[in-house]
Short mmCIF file of all heavy atoms in Angstrom, two decimals:
data_model
loop_
_atom_site.label_atom_id
_atom_site.label_comp_id
_atom_site.label_asym_id
_atom_site.label_seq_id
_atom_site.Cartn_x
_atom_site.Cartn_y
_atom_site.Cartn_z
N ALA A 17 100.63 -54.20 -94.86
CA ALA A 17 99.98 -52.97 -94.66
C ALA A 17 99.04 -53.00 -93.47
O ALA A 17 98.95 -52.08 -92.59
CB ALA A 17 99.22 -52.46 -95.91
N TYR A 592 93.05 -16.63 -9.02
CA TYR A 592 93.03 -17.26 -10.33
C TYR A 592 92.30 -16.46 -11.34
O TYR A 592 91.16 -16.14 -11.17
CB TYR A 592 92.45 -18.67 -10.25
CG TYR A 592 92.37 -19.44 -11.55
CD1 TYR A 592 93.27 -20.46 -11.77
CD2 TYR A 592 91.42 -19.15 -12.49
CE1 TYR A 592 93.23 -21.18 -13.01
CE2 TYR A 592 91.39 -19.83 -13.70
CZ TYR A 592 92.24 -20.84 -13.98
OH TYR A 592 92.19 -21.51 -15.08
N MET A 614 94.08 -37.49 -7.10
CA MET A 614 95.06 -37.74 -8.14
C MET A 614 95.54 -39.09 -8.12
O MET A 614 95.82 -39.73 -9.20
CB MET A 614 96.24 -36.70 -7.95
CG MET A 614 95.92 -35.26 -8.27
SD MET A 614 97.37 -34.26 -8.31
CE MET A 614 97.81 -34.23 -6.61
N ILE A 817 43.90 -8.09 -21.57
CA ILE A 817 43.94 -8.91 -20.40
C ILE A 817 44.58 -8.10 -19.31
O ILE A 817 45.60 -7.52 -19.46
CB ILE A 817 44.77 -10.21 -20.59
CG1 ILE A 817 44.27 -11.01 -21.78
CG2 ILE A 817 44.82 -11.02 -19.34
CD1 ILE A 817 45.13 -12.16 -22.25
N ASP A 979 -1.07 -16.26 -19.16
CA ASP A 979 -2.41 -16.38 -19.70
C ASP A 979 -3.44 -15.83 -18.67
O ASP A 979 -4.51 -15.22 -19.05
CB ASP A 979 -2.77 -17.92 -19.98
CG ASP A 979 -1.89 -18.47 -21.11
OD1 ASP A 979 -1.44 -17.59 -21.95
OD2 ASP A 979 -1.73 -19.71 -21.24
N LYS A 982 -3.41 -12.10 -18.80
CA LYS A 982 -4.04 -11.62 -20.05
C LYS A 982 -5.58 -11.72 -19.92
O LYS A 982 -6.31 -10.83 -20.32
CB LYS A 982 -3.57 -12.39 -21.27
CG LYS A 982 -2.13 -12.08 -21.63
CD LYS A 982 -1.70 -13.01 -22.75
CE LYS A 982 -0.26 -12.70 -23.20
NZ LYS A 982 0.20 -13.55 -24.31
#
Side-chain angles (χ1 to χ4, degrees):
Y592 177 104
M614 288 190 293
I817 303 170
D979 293 340
K982 288 177 181 179

